[in-house]
Amino acid sequence: MFTRTDDKITTAQTVVIISCYMLGSGVLTLPRTLTERVKTADGWISLILGWLIIMLAGICIVKLCQQFPGKTIYQFVQEIVGSWIGSCLSMLMILYFVAISAFQIRVMAEVTMLYLLESTPIWAIVMSFMWIGLYLITSGINSIARLFEIILPITIIVLLICMFLSSKIFDINNVRPVLGEGLFPVIRGLKTTILVFLGYEIMIILPAFMQHPQKGVKALIIGTSIPLVLYLITFIMVVGALSVDGVVRSTWPTLDLMRSFEITGLLFERFEFFLLVIWIMQIFSTFTITFYAGSLGLAQLFQKNIQPIMYGLIPIIYIVALLPKNMNELFDFGDFVSSVSIYLFGLLPVLLLLITKIFKKGAVKEDG
Amino acid sequence: MWKTIVSYIPDGIVFVQALVILIVPIIIYFTSKWLQSALGTRPSEDTPTENKSEENTPENGKAETEATLSFTGKYEADLASIKKKIAKNCDVHFREFTMATGKKAAIIYVEGLYDKELIEVQVMKSLMFDDAEETEKPSDDTKKSSDDTKITKTYLMNKMLPISEIREALNLQELISDILVGSTAMLIDGIVEVLLLGSATGKTRSIEEPLSEGLLRGPRVGFTEILSDNTAVLRRHGKNESLEMIKFQVGTRAKKDLVVAYMNDIVNSELLEEVKRRIEAINMDYLPESGYVEQLIEDNTLSPFQQAQNTERPDRVINSLLEGRVAILLDGSPFALIVPVTFSMLLQSPEDYYERWIPGTLLRMLRFLATFFALFAPALYISFISYHPGLIPTKLVMSIIDARQGVPFPSLIEALIMETSIEILREAGVRLPKPIGPAMGIVGGLIIGDAAVNAGLVSPFLVIVVAVTAISSFAIPSYSAGITLRLLRFLAMFSAAVLGAYGTILFFLLLFSHLVKLKSFGVPYISPAVPYRLDDWKDFIFRLPFKVMKRRPLMMKTKDSDRKK
Amino acid sequence: MDSMKRYFLFALSILFVLCLTGCWGNREIEDLSVNVGLALDVGEESELEQELAKEGDSYPKKNLITATLQTVPVLKGKSEKQSGSSKSSPMYLNTEETGDSIFQLYRQFSLRRYRPIIGHHLKVIVISSELSRKMDLNKLLKFISRDNDIRPSCLILISKEKASEALISSQSGDIPSFHLRSMVENQFRNNKILAPMILTKLDGIMNSGSSFILQNLVSAKGEVEFAGAGVIKGKINKWIGTLNEHEVEGLNWIRGEIEGGVIKTYDKSGEVLAYEIKSAKTKIKTKVQGNDISFHVSIESDGRLIENWDTSQVPTDDKFLKEAEGYFEEELKEMLHKTIHKIQEVYHVDVGGFNNKLRIQHPKVWKKVKKEWDETFSQSDITYDVKLNITDYGSSTK
């Protein structure tokens, strides 16, 4: 066969995967969740600070992975802490990924049922979505990366256009004053922003697939700053239009922003459809990559073929997705899973990195 | 605690659904695997053995032993054995005559295929009359060697037959097959080998402008059915030593020539090897058109997308060769195949390059837009009308409601009626004789459309949508890609009918999931869109000025990536 | 081969099942009626409803609200369509329902009309001042802002008389909801129109607890006119009074929402002078001294002298222009004075956007006074200066 070197993912593809993973359900809820905690319009500062923290955690993960070139965390965690603890940690991460993918699917289904398909049963929405996801991931990380590369530019362009159009009802007074109540509210929002920026943790597996793993940090920085910029724009536009008091009243504030104006004369008067389109695509990307990360983990943990595992995971994800009974539980579920990630992908990598450095494990070149 | 846990255990129905979610993809997986293996005419290991078994059938074996016997050199015996083989055919003629030297000779040809002038003027004349005056010289030569016959053959070839195309047949089998494709055989008493003179010059079509790929600006040259003409057209593109053409024979029963053309200092050698390998593995008794080759060497039989580009335009082939692609030409087909193909190629036309870059870019963008419409316009119509009235501008909603009053069908059925009739019209238009075709189009398009609206079968809005879709699909330069899009449009319509706009989005995702998986000879089908290669984007949606396009496409991994020296 | 066939059949049947279960939320567009306008009045059953109730249409409810739903299009038969618009049948259909829960009222609708209504295209909500005096706006609009069909882009208006009258038009071919919607866009021609108050904005304002004004409507003989504004006091979210057109104009100056329009005054001989506003800029400066909060409003505007009836004066004369500017400034100051007096002394509410200025300029102070802002505002000093420049005089010098 005509073998090609691009069977590994390029740095650009790594960037795209990180960005697509991060841009998930958060786009629609971020302005509310953040403003609920910050209570002023300064959430955007929290976003930047949160991003910095995320960067640090991400760099730790990348550094850790660079100690074990060509291996994912599932493969090398056992080398660091022994097979028992290692397997447990791997299992936790797999559970995390499964939970995230289930959560994303459920949120997608809820919004779709609210705004697009009112009387369609949830299983119909979820089922078709999952099958297409499965179809994509069976052909591995390369196809996933290529699809994300198609989705991301569409997302960025459409989101920017939507936000630009919404400037019609934007009122700068709503996002002023900057730091009117000092830094304290900003700090309060940090936790939310860190949760919003989840997605960097995909770097625990990506360096193993990269053509140039040494560019991992660069990819991470660019990959996380794309969502940062998009989130910043979204946040400012939404709060600017809906005002702090209005944002906290809205379940899906970004959608409400799009629904709050009509531009007659353009071919389309209403633009929430476009937002929903790119949003569903983004959920699809988050779902597929977490699904893939989960099944890859299982495959590497039990050293089995990955395909049957992907098939096997589908019903599990489906059942998990249907567990929350109402919206509150759904959001709680999301919060819980995200909080777990702070320990799993914030503190754990630092520990692992320390252990690796102290006991000089990993690649030989680090020793020399 | 226990109670809360129990309350979270989902209903039985959820488990059933979960099971369905699991089982359906597994079934699809096995079905597609089975289909792949059942349909997969793709090269596999068992091909050569099959070939052998066919040749080793008893009758063939007998014929073979007879055929491989080389000629005896005895005129009567050889002629008899040839006659026995092919004299049954009414169009095979044997012309026996006596050479000036007194030897008996015969010319065997197929009526209508042989080069009459060549044989009469250059061969028979020189053999029957001119021989006498040159007898002195051959007698010198004959003395040099005792082997009389051999010298005569070389002498014949060197001195007596002033024609370029001359070969010798070594055995009966080869001779007969060559006679039947148009060569003229010459049998001379005392010469063991039978000479084959000239080649077929049957009536052929002259070079015309290609019908399927019309251009306003660009060479008016298209391929014809004659392989040698086609290779000649390619050769004529300019002085270029690196253009190489290798010949293959394909077809187990009726053998045909197939030429693989490439630029030897550009093409990726792995790609070339792969093309050769797949062509050698073709196992088919007869290949009437290059479409057969296309389908026999493609990567994925189940994909709706074509995996080789067919073209009638030599300029397009040369351009592709210069990009590092490989062209496959089959005798008897005016369509050359270009591999590997990418989706963007199907939306490009040579005209993009002949016009200046700004209009060229505009045309390309229009084509991308047209593709989008051709694929999604009816689907969006259905999903908006049936599911999302809230997403249409208010005034439009009112006029649509007004217009659709009295339409008895849901939008899906309505759209299907119109789309199907348009497709049938289109198909009919291809078959109809040229003078009637346009008239039929007008009758079909205008009258049926108008009548359907008046009769209240469909709404005028749908007619607009269908018309836009149809026009858009004509804007796609490649006919084959157009068919694919037409097919996919129906799928999009169904998904929209089931899940509204959500279904359309899912269809989009499914389509692109398929496209990113698909490869044509190892090149991702969706390149150069992804993976991001800025250099390749210069010739993608945009067609940048030539000064900027300095390199060959990176995706082709060419040996020589610089277009300029 | 048999097993393959079975696979194939199975896959096929699954496909069919999927197709059959399809088309769930599917409602063809022509079977729907589009709700474009909603009027909320104090509950009072119409004659028709009373009669229907007598016949047995009754369910447990309190008659608090009468909702008038305007739906389009009214379907015409084919023959009627061809005969053209010579017939003056209205293009809309108003249906009244009385009850309490607005959601229920919406759903009651399907008991009376066969085509279900969709709310995606709701353009205006008109609330009668009487109803809004009695009921908390927050309660009235809860359903509207929560519903997933109704877009938060719909416009909220107050009507002095019965709100349902605002949804009636005497002109045939006119749909009152669209009419009202587009009239709001006329702000660039007339400064007596308030910036459109859409549901999204209203949501935020009501949640913040500040007072606000809504565009007021008056209607007579099937004609609807924008006139003044209804004042809604924050916290209680109830209507407390109206501002007249003049005061709305003044308020627009203060809020810096002037996009165009006119200032008309009289010169010393009583002749009309008119000034066309080309641009206007308002700056509010907040000063905090101890517990005293004071505001300074400075207004600057460029415009054109568009009308002067005193023909002896020519605008090419600089002196005359200066003089005219003086008249206009005086007129504007007068207007501001009246407006500020009204909101501070009469209604005791801040509807001029001063709270925002304080919040931005002195966030710490704002936090302290936020709770009792309307009272604090009524006590604070407001000063203003006005600068109008006549930059040109159109295409005529005389």
Side-chain angles (χ1 to χ4, degrees), chain B residues 538 545-552 561-564:
Chain B
K538 289 171 186 163
F546 293 123
K547 277 195 178 147
V548 186
M549 293 200 287
K550 284 178 188 152
R551 308 189 138 260
R552 300 181 205 289
S561 61
D562 249 334
R563 287 205 96 128
K564 292 184 182 170

Side-chain angles (χ1 to χ4, degrees), chain B residues 285-488:
Chain B
D285 61 346
Y286 177 56
L287 299 132
E289 221 274 347
S290 57
Y292 273 61
V293 181
E294 177 187 344
Q295 292 168 58
L296 291 172
I297 62 171
E298 67 188 4
D299 296 60
N300 187 348
T301 327
L302 290 181
S303 172
F305 291 94
Q306 65 190 100
Q307 287 143 53
Q309 186 177 28
N310 53 65
T311 180
E312 282 188 89
R313 301 195 67 90
D315 51 336
R316 198 170 210 165
V317 172
I318 290 294
N319 274 332
S320 303
L321 294 187
L322 285 170
E323 282 178 357
R325 297 178 209 272
V326 177
I328 301 168
L329 296 96
L330 183 71
D331 192 25
S333 163
F335 287 94
L337 301 176
I338 300 170
V339 290
V341 67
T342 60
F343 187 70
S344 65
M345 275 171 73
L346 304 177
L347 299 182
Q348 291 172 2
S349 158
E351 218 169 10
D352 302 350
Y353 301 98
Y354 304 151
E355 283 298 335
R356 295 189 60 253
W357 72 277
I358 299 177
T361 303
L362 175 77
L363 290 179
R364 276 208 183 158
M365 288 178 167
L366 272 181
R367 270 185 232 124
F368 275 93
L369 194 68
T371 312
F372 179 80
F373 280 139
L375 207 50
F376 288 110
L380 288 176
Y381 173 81
I382 292 173
S383 53
F384 281 142
I385 296 292
S386 294
Y387 284 90
H388 315 297
L391 298 176
I392 317 172
T394 310
K395 298 212 165 134
L396 193 58
V397 165
M398 289 172 58
S399 41
I400 290 179
I401 292 181
D402 240 11
R404 273 184 63 85
Q405 281 312 312
V407 175
F409 307 116
S411 54
L412 172 69
I413 306 294
E414 187 195 8
L416 277 181
I417 291 174
M418 273 320 268
E419 284 291 344
T420 318
S421 49
I422 281 275
E423 292 303 329
I424 292 173
L425 263 176
R426 198 165 147 161
E427 193 57 26
V430 176
R431 313 274 160 254
L432 282 172
K434 256 181 198 158
I436 315 178
M440 186 65 189
I442 294 169
V443 170
L446 284 178
I447 307 204
I448 295 186
D450 194 45
V453 169
N454 279 334
L457 275 180
V458 298
S459 73
F461 272 92
L462 180 75
V463 176
I464 297 173
V465 170
V466 170
V468 167
T469 313
I471 291 170
S472 300
S473 62
F474 282 122
I476 295 155
S478 161
Y479 175 70
S480 319
I483 304 179
T484 307
L485 291 184
R486 279 149 72 181
L487 166 76
L488 292 173

Side-chain angles (χ1 to χ4, degrees), chain A residues 302-345:
Chain A
F302 298 112
Q303 287 166 0
K304 289 268 156 51
N305 190 3
I306 192 164
Q307 292 240 352
I309 289 174
M310 288 172 176
Y311 283 86
L313 266 184
I314 278 205
I316 298 173
I317 294 178
Y318 177 74
I319 292 172
V320 175
L322 289 193
L323 282 184
K325 280 182 257 174
N326 54 35
M327 285 309 283
N328 283 343
E329 282 189 16
L330 179 60
F331 285 133
D332 288 347
F333 176 56
D335 281 349
F336 170 72
V337 176
S338 322
S339 327
V340 169
S341 84
I342 293 181
Y343 302 104
L344 209 49
F345 301 105

Side-chain angles (χ1 to χ4, degrees), chain B residues 165-178:
Chain B
E165 209 173 341
I166 186 161
R167 285 165 293 143
E168 50 188 274
L170 293 173
N171 58 48
L172 195 56
Q173 186 80 33
E174 193 189 326
L175 176 78
I176 285 169
S177 65
D178 276 351

Side-chain angles (χ1 to χ4, degrees), chain B residues 24 27 34 385-387 389-390 392-395 397-398 400-402 404-405 407 410-411 454 497-499, chain C residues 4 10 14 22-30 32 34 72-73 75 78 81 115 118 120-121 123 175 178:
Chain B
V24 172
I27 290 171
W34 164 68
I385 296 292
S386 294
Y387 284 90
I392 317 172
T394 310
K395 298 212 165 134
V397 165
M398 289 172 58
I400 290 179
I401 292 181
D402 240 11
R404 273 184 63 85
Q405 281 312 312
V407 175
S411 54
N454 279 334
V498 177
L499 286 171
Chain C
M4 289 166 188
F10 196 72
I14 290 271
C23 316
W24 289 281
N26 172 354
R27 285 254 174 285
E28 295 300 319
I29 195 167
E30 70 268 19
L32 303 168
V34 181
V72 288
L75 298 175
K78 221 162 197 170
K81 218 190 267 173
R115 299 193 312 165
I118 51 165
H120 296 105
H121 295 278
K123 296 279 174 192
I175 295 164
F178 293 176

